[in-house]
Amino acid sequence: MSWITPVAPAQAGPRLAPVYERIAAQSSSGRVSNLWQSWGADPAGLDTLHAHYRALMSDPAPLTAAQCEMIAVVVSATNGCGYCVVACPFGVLDQRSYWYLTLNLVG
């Protein structure tokens, strides 16, 4: 259970709603993930954090989006963040890769 109470998009106030709209528009799933919702209590901080994330992950970049996500998954597995490993974009990790990361980097 999270110590941080997430703010669901339906409960977003006037300062948070436009930030959530930008995040959803730039998301491959078209929604605001739980990770971003956990920052919902601080709309300005969330906006800055998401802008930084997009700057790192967007073109032009020396790595593809899939390569960036794989690095993020390895770092998350190394740090023991099960949520980030499980929540990685569909197709980035197959079952064998997940167990390899879990057993060799985390476990």
Side-chain angles (χ1 to χ4, degrees), residues 15 38 48 82 84 89 93:
R15 290 179 41 227
S38 68
T48 301
C84 293
L93 273 185

Side-chain angles (χ1 to χ4, degrees), residues 1-11 16 20 23-24 27-42 46 49-50 53 81-89:
M1 174 168 223
S2 174
W3 291 37
I4 301 169
T5 304
V7 179
Q11 280 73 49
L16 180 59
Y20 275 2
I23 291 171
S27 170
S28 61
S29 68
R31 64 179 186 79
V32 180
S33 74
N34 292 338
L35 175 78
W36 300 123
Q37 290 179 40
S38 68
W39 277 85
D42 181 9
L46 172 59
L49 176 64
H50 188 260
Y53 169 80
C81 181
Y83 172 81
C84 293
V85 172
V86 173
C88 74

Side-chain angles (χ1 to χ4, degrees), residues 70 73-74 77 85 88 91-106:
M70 281 300 290
V73 169
V74 171
V85 172
C88 74
V92 172
L93 273 185
D94 63 20
Q95 196 66 23
R96 287 176 309 188
S97 299
Y98 172 78
W99 287 111
Y100 175 82
L101 290 172
T102 302
L103 296 173
N104 293 295
L105 297 177
V106 178

Side-chain angles (χ1 to χ4, degrees), residues 49-65 68-69:
L49 176 64
H50 188 260
H52 180 73
Y53 169 80
R54 294 307 312 168
L56 291 172
M57 298 295 281
S58 297
D59 286 328
L63 302 175
T64 67
C68 291
E69 291 294 345

